[in-house]
Amino acid sequence: MQINTVSGYQYITSAKNRPFLVALILGIIINIAGITTDFFTNDPALYGLIARNMVQSHNYIDLVYRGKDWLDKPHFPFWVVALSFKLFGANTIAYKLPGVLFYFISVRYTYLLAKKFYSVETAFIAALILLTAQHAIMSNTDVRAEPYIMGLLMGGVYYFVCLKEKFSIWQLIIGSLFTACAVMTKGIYLLIPVGFAIIGDYIFKRDFKGLFQWRWLLVMVLVAIFTLPEIYTLYVQFDLHPEKVVFGHTHVSGIRWFLWDSQFGRFNNTGYISRPEHDYFFFLHTLLWAFAPWAFLLYAAIFLNIRKIFQRIAQPEYIALCGALPMLVIFSISQFQLPFYTNILFPFFAMITATFVANVVKDNRNLYFKIVQFAVSPLFIILALGVAFVFNYPLNHNYFLFFNGVVWAAVWYCLRSTTITKGLFLFSGLSAILVNTVLICNVYPGLLQYRGEVQAPKYINQYIPSSKRVIAAFDVPDSFEFYTKRPVEFMKLDSVMAERTKNKVVLIEDTLMKHIQKEHIQYVLLQKFDNFPQEVINRQFLNEDERYKTLNHYYLIQIDNPYGNR
């Protein structure tokens, strides 16, 4: 293990490393920049509604969605978001803030772990890689469970590594708590990367006796104890009430779901929620953009690490490789696959990649590195500017022009102030920052103009008197309910028309509007909203001339006397 005599502060503030400091600061800023962006996918709004219901009902045991019991994720993120709502109110920033903080926790522990085994420079390289990985930045704008898992996993691994070196009650407790909270965020499969990271390091270092120290038995006991709040809440909500209907089933055990169905049901695609697609190479090609601009360096670093293992060349640690690769294989053979699943492995990937980059920077030569990054980084920038040009949505000029200017100034500063390889590495990170500047200041605000479930609440909150009821007559995405500052009722259109009360407005979509017009039902159109119904932006939507082909519409109407005087 390398002994680090230079502190992180001394390294990063030295004159020769100031370009590194500039890139790190911009990396931190870009990960915070999307915290005010409204929800443009459904999951954050769904999770926000469940957490808001906890606060409003003062019930922190039951997970409830639109009045029905909900069983798809464990409790920990909802508890954290509910606490944030309690402190700051139920809004976009309060929802995203905890997730972003846990993400920065993952950056912190990635830095500490890399510094422990390598050098301060490698640690800062790992931190910058993690700060600029494309899907990590996107996940801090579209916050789901992954930023929580990243922070909790790396916290658990770091303290278990410290515990592995020297027994400490504090490290035993905090490491077990981090791990238990990770389990209460996504399930017991998260024990796999933590366990494999520690076990693999023991095995490859041929320290087999260390595997059977009593401290690891204590870890298992404490993790089980700290996970009991999840077991208890699921037992109270579901196991005590077999009559409850969950996804069309009765006699659903919450404990069984947590310990088995939520994990193996997803992996086998036999759970309550399933997906038809499956591709063994899905995550390998997904990482090309999700871990951009570092994916090709990651693949090279993994290859070199595995080759050293076969050549029996000792390495400082095997934690990152053993924590990442088994989980990546499991994800790949799983029959339920989503692009953001591998985000939780990004801290491990960052460490693996950083060791490769640190050697390149030290030697100031590596043809593969130069070819790949000279190709990827400019392509990244061209793609970003091309999307901004084709999308043709008026830029948020103040933020975009300022931050864009800062990034380009940083590019110029870094390229002229460092060696070729270090400058190219920093340029790659800054290219990712520039791409996400375009996304956050241009693409996401433009997309939100075509999210009817976001625009309709803004109109209702501003123009519809608070005395009027708000009714949704179709299965509108959850952002509509989250952003509407009053209760939203969900009713079939026939039931709405059967009412004779006048103090209501109704949200409908194209199919229901055609039905109303066909039946000659009298209504008053209050506002029409364009809506892009997909989460994945396609080429037609980006093209202003063809965008209309991708849209449907929401209508806010008033139906006082639906059939007139007949």
Side-chain angles (χ1 to χ4, degrees):
M1 184 185 302
Q2 182 169 340
I3 303 299
N4 294 293
T5 57
V6 178
S7 71
Y9 177 80
Q10 290 173 323
Y11 175 86
I12 204 63
T13 55
S14 64
K16 69 174 183 178
N17 291 315
R18 283 173 190 162
F20 220 132
L21 178 61
V22 170
L24 283 170
I25 291 173
L26 292 176
I28 292 170
I29 292 173
I30 196 64
N31 281 282
I32 300 173
I35 199 169
T36 62
T37 303
D38 289 335
F39 304 143
F40 51 85
T41 60
N42 196 62
D43 280 358
L46 167 63
Y47 303 155
L49 285 176
I50 293 172
R52 189 176 73 181
N53 179 75
M54 283 183 167
V55 176
Q56 292 174 342
S57 66
H58 306 289
N59 179 356
Y60 298 92
I61 291 179
D62 294 347
L63 297 177
V64 177
Y65 169 66
R66 292 184 180 176
K68 297 181 179 179
D69 294 284
W70 187 84
L71 186 63
D72 186 51
K73 297 286 188 299
H75 283 67
F76 182 78
F78 301 106
W79 286 330
V80 176
V81 172
L83 176 61
S84 184
F85 283 173
K86 192 83 170 176
L87 295 174
F88 307 112
N91 55 67
T92 303
I93 295 177
Y95 171 81
K96 293 183 181 181
L97 179 61
V100 174
L101 291 177
F102 273 95
Y103 166 76
F104 284 122
I105 288 173
S106 77
V107 175
R108 172 64 175 166
Y109 284 118
T110 300
Y111 166 85
L112 290 176
L113 205 55
K115 181 173 178 286
K116 177 180 284 290
F117 287 103
Y118 298 100
S119 66
V120 172
E121 182 175 53
T122 304
F124 276 118
I125 290 173
L128 184 59
I129 289 173
L130 185 53
L131 285 167
T132 54
Q134 179 59 34
H135 211 182
I137 302 174
M138 293 173 68
S139 291
N140 288 324
T141 301
D142 183 37
V143 176
R144 309 188 191 203
E146 280 62 40
Y148 293 90
I149 300 172
M150 291 169 69
L152 295 168
L153 276 185
M154 293 312 292
V157 170
Y158 175 77
Y159 285 108
F160 287 156
V161 168
C162 295
L163 183 67
K164 178 175 177 287
E165 294 173 353
K166 182 180 179 182
F167 180 79
S168 164
I169 291 292
W170 159 253
Q171 290 159 357
L172 172 68
I173 292 174
I174 197 67
S176 300
L177 184 60
F178 267 113
T179 304
C181 289
V183 170
M184 292 190 290
T185 297
K186 198 72 172 179
I188 60 171
Y189 85 89
L190 291 174
L191 296 175
I192 296 174
V194 176
F196 270 77
I198 302 302
I199 294 171
D201 196 59
Y202 271 122
I203 291 175
F204 283 114
K205 290 181 177 177
R206 300 183 180 278
D207 182 10
F208 300 107
K209 290 183 179 179
L211 284 171
F212 300 100
Q213 295 179 38
W214 57 270
R215 67 188 68 178
W216 301 119
L217 179 60
L218 285 178
V219 165
M220 290 188 284
V221 171
L222 284 179
V223 170
I225 291 173
F226 290 147
T227 309
L228 286 178
E230 181 66 32
I231 300 293
Y232 174 76
T233 54
L234 291 171
Y235 175 77
V236 170
Q237 184 175 2
F238 297 102
D239 293 70
L240 282 180
H241 300 280
E243 75 281 359
K244 287 185 174 182
V245 178
V246 182
F247 294 112
H249 297 77
T250 58
H251 294 83
V252 173
S253 168
I255 297 175
R256 174 186 166 82
W257 168 85
F258 177 63
L259 297 177
W260 184 265
D261 294 333
S262 67
Q263 315 302 308
F264 300 99
R266 286 241 168 167
F267 290 144
N268 297 326
N269 208 24
T270 58
Y272 299 130
I273 300 176
S274 60
R275 292 175 63 87
E277 305 91 356
H278 176 249
D279 176 6
Y280 290 116
F281 300 102
F282 175 81
F283 291 108
L284 292 181
H285 57 72
T286 295
L287 285 173
L288 291 176
W289 69 264
F291 200 64
W294 314 113
F296 289 106
L297 301 184
L298 169 66
Y299 293 151
I302 290 175
F303 170 77
L304 292 175
N305 274 272
I306 293 176
R307 187 174 70 175
K308 287 179 182 177
I309 290 175
F310 279 104
Q311 292 175 342
R312 297 189 176 182
I313 299 174
Q315 299 177 70
E317 54 84 24
Y318 301 89
I319 290 163
L321 202 66
C322 293
L325 292 192
M327 202 68 243
L328 182 61
V329 171
I330 291 172
F331 282 147
S332 297
I333 64 177
S334 166
Q335 297 185 51
F336 193 100
Q337 299 171 329
L338 290 170
F340 47 79
Y341 278 10
T342 51
N343 283 31
I344 67 172
L345 304 178
F346 280 11
F348 294 126
F349 290 160
M351 279 186 60
I352 295 168
T353 309
T355 58
F356 174 74
V357 173
N359 289 329
V360 171
V361 169
K362 180 180 178 181
D363 297 337
N364 196 28
R365 61 181 178 84
N366 186 293
L367 185 60
Y368 175 82
F369 174 84
K370 292 178 181 178
I371 291 174
V372 167
Q373 296 313 104
F374 266 127
V376 171
S377 301
L379 180 63
F380 228 40
I381 293 174
I382 292 170
L383 178 63
L385 298 179
V387 168
F389 177 77
V390 172
F391 191 45
N392 196 28
Y393 178 76
L395 297 173
N396 189 335
H397 284 286
N398 293 334
Y399 291 111
F400 178 78
L401 294 179
F402 171 75
F403 203 64
N404 188 51
V406 170
V407 174
W408 279 113
V411 169
W412 174 81
Y413 175 63
C414 291
L415 290 179
R416 72 180 292 271
S417 303
T418 60
T419 62
I420 293 177
T421 51
K422 183 180 284 189
L424 184 54
F425 167 70
L426 295 176
F427 176 58
S428 298
L430 292 169
S431 72
I433 294 171
L434 183 63
V435 166
N436 286 280
T437 302
V438 173
L439 290 177
I440 293 171
C441 294
N442 182 9
V443 176
Y444 298 154
L447 175 61
L448 284 165
Q449 298 303 309
Y450 297 93
R451 288 296 193 201
E453 67 270 19
V454 175
Q455 297 306 315
K458 292 181 180 180
Y459 181 88
I460 291 170
N461 296 336
Q462 184 172 358
Y463 297 109
I464 303 301
S466 58
S467 59
K468 287 188 177 291
R469 297 158 57 204
V470 176
I471 299 173
F474 67 103
D475 190 20
V476 62
D478 295 307
S479 294
F480 177 72
E481 184 178 0
F482 184 85
Y483 287 118
T484 301
K485 296 180 180 178
R486 69 190 78 177
V488 175
E489 301 175 48
F490 295 88
M491 300 172 61
K492 297 292 185 182
L493 185 60
D494 291 342
S495 300
V496 175
M497 292 188 297
E499 292 187 345
R500 296 297 177 178
T501 57
K502 297 183 178 181
N503 64 328
K504 61 178 179 290
V505 294
V506 185
L507 188 73
I508 61 173
E509 39 74 60
D510 287 326
T511 303
L512 294 176
M513 176 57 78
K514 291 178 181 178
H515 172 75
I516 286 177
Q517 293 172 340
K518 180 180 178 181
E519 296 296 324
H520 303 289
I521 296 170
Q522 294 184 6
Y523 68 93
V524 176
L525 177 63
L526 301 176
Q527 189 67 287
K528 175 182 176 181
F529 307 95
D530 292 332
N531 182 64
F532 180 64
Q534 304 177 43
E535 290 194 354
V536 179
I537 298 176
N538 56 32
R539 181 192 60 79
Q540 275 191 319
F541 178 76
L542 288 174
N543 189 330
E544 187 178 24
D545 295 331
E546 297 185 359
R547 189 171 300 153
Y548 73 94
K549 298 178 183 179
T550 68
L551 304 178
N552 58 19
H553 306 89
Y554 294 165
Y555 307 86
L556 189 67
I557 64 173
Q558 187 168 312
I559 307 177
D560 292 335
N561 189 12
Y563 297 106
N565 297 318
R566 56 179 180 167

